[in-house]
Amino acid sequence: MEALHLVPIFLGEKAELLRPLGLALRRTFGLVCEEHPPAFDPEVAFDAGRGQYNSRVLLAHLLHAAPHTRVLGVAGVDLFVPVLTFVLGEAQLGGRAAIVSIHRLRNEPYGLPEDPTLLLDRLVKEAVHEIGHNFGLLHCPMTRCVMSSSAGVEEVDLKSERFCDRCLAQIRAAEVDPVGWRRFLTVRRRA
């Protein structure tokens, strides 16, 4: 069975999240998740002017470092794309690479106490969301669907970690599957 590579990027002690994240992704997508250290220096994506890491640069390096497999970078640093202040994650639409950041998913930046359970819940939602983009899904207008757009952590908390019936049907009906995702697809329905 083909695997999804989980690549920690400046996760530090939060790398402990990769195992439960991998189990959640396996339950959702039927993917075997393997942890791999980054095969590149993530500092190449640092923008000193913004004090953040460019997610597009990291995506390009993740793709180059793992040219024949699916890959999800999990970052502990703040990510941005040039036209936005920050992003919680980014993915190739219909591709095989995605990245998520836990930086703004933590409670601490909002003056709240650390909550490891809530952080994992938010991370799983954002990882499923970005992998959904890899399946070719766009943002969903259903607030509870995992493909709902999230401009901040409050919106992440409103959605579930599951696809709505419409998004699930789109995945199942997709005729084009350039990277072989569908053969692993055991995506569960929304509860």
Side-chain angles (χ1 to χ4, degrees), residues 4 19 24 26 38 42 49 55 57 62 70 74 76 80 82 88 95 105-106 114-115 120-121 143 158 178 184 191:
L4 169 68
R19 187 171 185 281
R26 184 178 182 130
S55 62
V57 173
L62 286 167
R70 289 119 189 81
V74 182
F80 79 97
L88 300 175
L105 298 178
R106 298 173 302 126
E114 181 179 8
D115 187 335
L120 177 61
D121 181 58
T143 306
L158 290 176
F184 302 106

Coordinates of all heavy atoms in Angstrom, one line a residue, residues 4 19 24 26 38 42 49 55 57 62 70 74 76 80 82 88 95 105-106 114-115 120-121 143 158 178 184 191:
L4 N 1.4 8.1 2.7 CA 1.4 9.5 2.7 C 2.6 9.9 3.7 O 2.6 9.4 4.8 CB 0.1 10.1 3.3 CG 0.1 11.6 3.7 CD1 0.2 12.4 2.4 CD2 -1.2 11.9 4.4
R19 N 1.9 11.1 15.2 CA 1.3 9.8 15.3 C -0.2 9.8 15.3 O -0.9 9.1 14.5 CB 1.9 9.1 16.5 CG 1.5 7.6 16.5 CD 2.2 6.8 17.6 NE 1.9 5.4 17.6 CZ 0.8 4.9 18.1 NH1 -0.1 5.7 18.6 NH2 0.5 3.6 18.0
A24 N -5.5 9.4 12.4 CA -6.8 10.0 12.0 C -6.9 10.1 10.5 O -7.9 9.8 9.9 CB -6.9 11.5 12.6
R26 N -5.4 8.0 8.4 CA -5.7 6.6 8.0 C -7.1 6.3 8.1 O -7.7 5.6 7.2 CB -4.8 5.6 8.8 CG -5.0 4.2 8.3 CD -4.1 3.3 9.1 NE -4.3 1.9 8.5 CZ -3.3 1.1 8.1 NH1 -2.1 1.5 8.3 NH2 -3.6 0.0 7.6
P38 N 12.4 16.3 7.1 CA 12.5 17.1 5.8 C 13.9 16.8 5.2 O 14.9 16.7 5.8 CB 12.4 18.5 6.3 CG 12.7 18.5 7.7 CD 12.3 17.2 8.2
P42 N 14.4 23.8 5.7 CA 13.2 24.7 5.7 C 13.5 26.1 5.8 O 12.6 27.0 5.5 CB 12.4 24.1 6.9 CG 12.9 22.8 7.2 CD 14.3 22.8 6.8
G49 N 11.6 39.8 6.2 CA 10.7 41.0 6.2 C 9.4 40.8 6.9 O 8.9 41.7 7.5
S55 N 4.7 29.4 2.4 CA 4.2 28.1 2.3 C 4.4 27.5 0.9 O 4.6 26.3 0.7 CB 2.7 28.0 2.6 OG 1.9 28.8 1.8
V57 N 7.0 28.1 -1.1 CA 8.4 27.6 -1.1 C 8.5 26.3 -0.5 O 9.2 25.4 -1.0 CB 9.3 28.7 -0.5 CG1 10.8 28.1 -0.4 CG2 9.3 30.0 -1.3
L62 N 8.9 20.3 -0.6 CA 8.3 19.0 -0.3 C 8.1 18.1 -1.5 O 8.4 16.9 -1.5 CB 7.0 19.2 0.4 CG 7.0 19.7 1.9 CD1 5.7 20.2 2.3 CD2 7.6 18.6 2.8
R70 N 2.9 10.9 -2.0 CA 2.0 12.0 -1.5 C 2.7 12.5 -0.2 O 3.4 11.7 0.5 CB 0.7 11.5 -1.1 CG -0.2 11.2 -2.3 CD -0.6 9.7 -2.3 NE -1.2 9.3 -3.5 CZ -0.6 9.0 -4.6 NH1 0.7 9.1 -4.7 NH2 -1.3 8.7 -5.7
V74 N 4.0 19.3 8.1 CA 3.3 19.8 9.3 C 4.3 20.7 10.0 O 5.3 20.3 10.5 CB 2.9 18.6 10.2 CG1 2.1 19.2 11.4 CG2 2.0 17.6 9.5
G76 N 5.5 24.0 12.5 CA 5.3 24.6 13.8 C 5.5 26.1 13.7 O 5.4 26.8 14.7
F80 N 2.7 31.9 5.3 CA 2.0 32.9 4.6 C 2.2 32.6 3.1 O 3.0 31.8 2.7 CB 2.6 34.3 4.8 CG 3.9 34.6 4.1 CD1 3.9 35.3 2.9 CD2 5.1 34.1 4.6 CE1 5.1 35.5 2.2 CE2 6.3 34.3 3.9 CZ 6.3 35.1 2.7
P82 N 2.1 35.3 -0.4 CA 2.4 36.7 -0.6 C 1.1 37.6 -0.6 O 1.2 38.8 -0.2 CB 3.0 36.8 -2.0 CG 3.8 35.5 -2.1 CD 2.9 34.5 -1.4
L88 N -3.4 29.0 7.2 CA -3.3 27.8 8.1 C -2.8 26.6 7.4 O -2.3 25.7 8.1 CB -4.7 27.5 8.7 CG -5.4 28.6 9.5 CD1 -6.8 28.2 9.8 CD2 -4.6 29.0 10.7
G95 N -3.3 17.8 -6.7 CA -1.9 17.4 -6.7 C -1.7 16.4 -5.6 O -2.6 15.7 -5.1
L105 N -3.1 27.5 15.2 CA -4.1 26.6 15.7 C -4.0 26.4 17.2 O -4.9 25.8 17.8 CB -4.0 25.2 15.0 CG -4.2 25.2 13.5 CD1 -3.9 23.8 12.9 CD2 -5.5 25.7 13.1
R106 N -2.9 26.8 17.8 CA -2.7 26.7 19.2 C -3.5 27.7 20.0 O -3.9 28.8 19.4 CB -1.2 26.9 19.6 CG -0.3 25.9 19.0 CD 1.2 26.2 19.2 NE 1.5 27.6 18.6 CZ 2.0 28.6 19.4 NH1 2.4 28.4 20.6 NH2 2.3 29.7 18.8
E114 N -2.9 26.3 27.1 CA -2.6 25.2 26.2 C -3.7 24.1 26.3 O -4.1 23.8 27.4 CB -1.2 24.6 26.5 CG -0.8 23.6 25.5 CD 0.6 23.0 25.8 OE1 1.2 23.4 26.9 OE2 1.1 22.2 25.1
D115 N -4.1 23.6 25.1 CA -5.1 22.5 25.1 C -4.7 21.5 24.0 O -5.1 21.7 22.8 CB -6.5 23.1 24.8 CG -7.6 22.1 24.9 OD1 -7.3 20.8 24.8 OD2 -8.7 22.5 25.2
L120 N -4.9 19.0 18.5 CA -4.9 17.9 17.6 C -6.2 17.9 16.8 O -6.2 17.6 15.6 CB -4.8 16.6 18.4 CG -4.9 15.3 17.6 CD1 -3.8 15.3 16.5 CD2 -4.9 14.1 18.5
D121 N -7.3 18.2 17.4 CA -8.6 18.3 16.7 C -8.5 19.3 15.5 O -8.9 19.0 14.4 CB -9.7 18.7 17.7 CG -11.1 18.7 17.0 OD1 -11.5 17.7 16.5 OD2 -11.7 19.8 17.1
T143 N -21.0 25.2 6.4 CA -20.2 25.5 7.5 C -19.6 24.3 8.2 O -18.4 24.4 8.7 CB -21.0 26.4 8.5 OG1 -21.5 27.5 7.8 CG2 -20.1 26.9 9.6
L158 N -15.7 25.6 14.2 CA -17.1 25.4 13.8 C -17.3 24.2 12.9 O -18.4 23.6 12.8 CB -17.6 26.7 13.0 CG -17.8 27.9 13.9 CD1 -18.2 29.1 13.0 CD2 -18.8 27.7 15.0
P178 N -5.2 12.0 -11.4 CA -3.8 11.9 -12.0 C -2.8 11.4 -11.0 O -1.7 11.0 -11.4 CB -3.5 13.4 -12.3 CG -4.4 14.2 -11.4 CD -5.6 13.3 -11.3
F184 N -7.0 4.6 -2.8 CA -6.8 4.6 -1.3 C -8.1 5.1 -0.6 O -8.2 5.1 0.6 CB -5.6 5.4 -0.9 CG -4.4 4.9 -1.5 CD1 -3.8 5.7 -2.5 CD2 -3.8 3.8 -1.1 CE1 -2.6 5.3 -3.1 CE2 -2.6 3.3 -1.7 CZ -2.1 4.1 -2.7
A191 N -20.8 12.6 9.9 CA -21.6 12.0 11.0 C -23.0 12.6 11.1 O -23.2 13.8 10.8 CB -20.9 12.1 12.3

